[in-house]
Amino acid sequence: MPPESPVLIRRATAGDRDVIVELNTRLAWETERLRLDEVRIRDGVAAVLDGRGEAFYFVAELDGAVVGQLMLTREWSDWRNGWFYWIQSVYVRETVRQRGVFRRLFHAAEDWVRSQSDAVGVRLYVEEHNTSAMETYARLGLKPTGYRVMEAAYRYGLTPES
C-alpha cells in the first residue's frame, strides 16, 4: 500500500450495515453466482451488528471508504475445551486486491483471537474451485484440515443463477 494511503482495520459498527450488505452480495455473486435475498441479508447483517448473532465483523478502510471485510463466528470444541473462531464473509473490493488488504484483516482477526484466553484456533472454509483464495490462505499459514463441510440447509434466501 502506498504510505499516503494506510489501511485502517477496525470493528464494524451499525453505520457499516449498508456496505457490509453490499460486499456480502458481491461475495455471493462472485464466488457462487448466487443472488442474496435483500431483506434476509440486511436482517442477517443487522443481527450481527446489533449483537444478536454470535459474530462480529472487521472492516478495512482506505481513504475513509470500506474496501474489505471479514466476519468472525465461534464454535465450541469439547475436545479442546475452547473456542475455534471461524473466518467467514471475506471480501475485498476488486480494485484493491493484491494490495495486502486481506492480509491486514486476517492479522487483525488472528491477533484478536490469540488475545482470547479460551481460544484454540481459527478456521475457515473455501469454495473447492477458489484456488486463488486457497493460495492466499496457505501463504498466511492456514492448512487443509482433512475435513469436508457438509450441511442440511433449511432456509436459504439464495437464488442460484443459471
Side-chain angles (χ1 to χ4, degrees):
M1 307 298 303
E4 67 275 9
S5 298
V7 175
L8 169 70
I9 306 297
R10 62 174 176 79
R11 292 272 295 258
T13 67
D16 296 311
R17 185 194 65 186
D18 290 344
V19 71
I20 292 171
V21 168
E22 175 205 348
L23 297 183
N24 276 326
T25 300
R26 289 177 180 273
L27 171 63
W29 179 251
E30 286 181 27
T31 59
E32 301 181 51
R33 289 294 187 246
L34 294 173
R35 298 229 184 258
L36 300 181
D37 176 89
E38 188 173 336
V39 172
R40 189 176 297 265
I41 184 64
R42 278 197 174 301
D43 290 348
V45 169
V48 171
L49 295 172
D50 294 345
R52 291 180 282 134
E54 285 281 328
F56 64 90
Y57 295 98
F58 281 105
V59 293
E61 279 188 4
L62 182 62
D63 297 327
V66 172
V67 296
Q69 70 178 35
L70 70 71
M71 182 177 71
L72 281 180
T73 62
R74 64 187 191 161
E75 169 191 22
W76 182 254
S77 173
D78 55 348
W79 289 10
R80 293 176 179 91
N81 190 31
W83 294 105
F84 269 104
Y85 286 83
W86 283 84
I87 295 173
Q88 299 183 69
S89 298
V90 172
Y91 189 82
V92 174
R93 288 191 187 278
E94 196 169 4
T95 56
V96 297
R97 290 181 189 161
Q98 304 300 314
R99 294 176 59 188
V101 174
F102 173 70
R103 181 177 26 83
R104 298 277 311 276
L105 281 163
F106 175 80
H107 286 309
E110 187 177 45
D111 289 347
W112 185 88
V113 170
R114 287 179 182 274
S115 76
Q116 306 305 300
S117 62
D118 55 357
V120 295
V122 295
R123 289 180 169 163
L124 58 78
Y125 52 88
V126 59
E127 290 292 318
E128 292 178 299
H129 66 278
N130 196 343
T131 56
S132 173
M134 287 183 233
E135 290 167 3
T136 297
Y137 301 148
R139 282 193 301 274
L140 291 168
L142 296 165
K143 296 172 180 50
T145 63
Y147 294 106
R148 285 189 173 230
V149 175
M150 299 174 73
E151 71 177 16
Y154 304 112
R155 295 185 305 173
Y156 262 90
L158 309 172
T159 307
E161 294 293 315
S162 46

